[in-house]
Each structure stands twice: as structure tokens, then as C-alpha cells.
Amino acid sequence: MSDTQLTVTLSGGDVDDARAVVGALEGTFGPPQERPSDTDATVRMATFGGEGEGTGDGQADLRPLSEPVTVTVQGTPEAVRRASDALSRVFTARDEGAAAGDQEQERQLVLES
């Protein structure tokens, strides 16, 4: 797994909220391999991978979230740290805890505008 490999799971909010959160991460990780698209889903996913680096600040199309969104980021410790930092710069983030393994880490955040 490279340092930019990251899986993002989102619950709460609507598909536009999920897209706003993913957009906030693009400034750090570049475009995702998979974007949230299902308008009827209650849990959405996005994956970032490869060696791509983001080029922006992740705030180009920022819109307020319609309600709090719970986000779980999973990947290398460096990728999880970078994702948490990026989301905290764009949204009000409440850290709900982390779990660490040998090579992967998982962190849960609740985001609000």
C-alpha cells in the first residue's frame, strides 16, 4: 500500500455532502479512483490510490453540509493523518477515535460545516 492509498466511508447527509467531503480530499490526494454516486445509498465510499498528489486546497467547490456526516478514513498512518488534517481545514471536525494495526490505521470523524 502506498502512502496515498486511502479508503473513505461516509454516512449521514446526502450524495452532495459525500461529494463535498471527497472534493475536500482531492486537494491532498488528487482525484479518487471511485466517487460517491448512488443517490439512494445510506453509506457511500470513495477510494484514493496510486502516487497522485493533489494540486489544490480542496476548497474549490465547497458547499455547506446539509447535516453532520460521519467519515471513516482507512489507510497508511500517513494517509490517515493527511486526510484528517485536510478535512479539519475545511470542516468542523470532531474526532471520534482511531484504531491502529501493523500497517494500517482507521480514524472516524464527524464533520459539520
Side-chain angles (χ1 to χ4, degrees), residues 25-109:
L25 292 170
E26 287 184 29
T28 300
F29 294 98
Q33 294 172 335
E34 179 183 342
R35 294 179 185 271
S37 60
D38 187 349
T39 57
D40 295 325
T42 57
V43 175
R44 296 174 175 87
M45 274 185 70
T47 55
F48 296 86
E51 298 302 322
E53 292 291 322
T55 57
D57 63 3
Q59 298 186 36
D61 295 321
L62 182 62
R63 68 168 199 77
L65 299 175
S66 66
E67 62 183 84
V69 175
T70 300
V71 177
T72 303
V73 290
Q74 180 181 11
T76 64
E78 174 66 11
V80 169
R81 183 195 60 76
R82 290 173 57 207
S84 297
D85 290 349
L87 293 171
S88 294
R89 282 191 302 270
V90 177
F91 303 103
T92 301
R94 185 175 70 239
D95 190 339
E96 294 289 304
D102 286 344
Q103 297 178 13
E104 282 193 343
Q105 188 175 53
E106 181 177 290
R107 177 167 306 280
Q108 188 172 59
L109 303 166

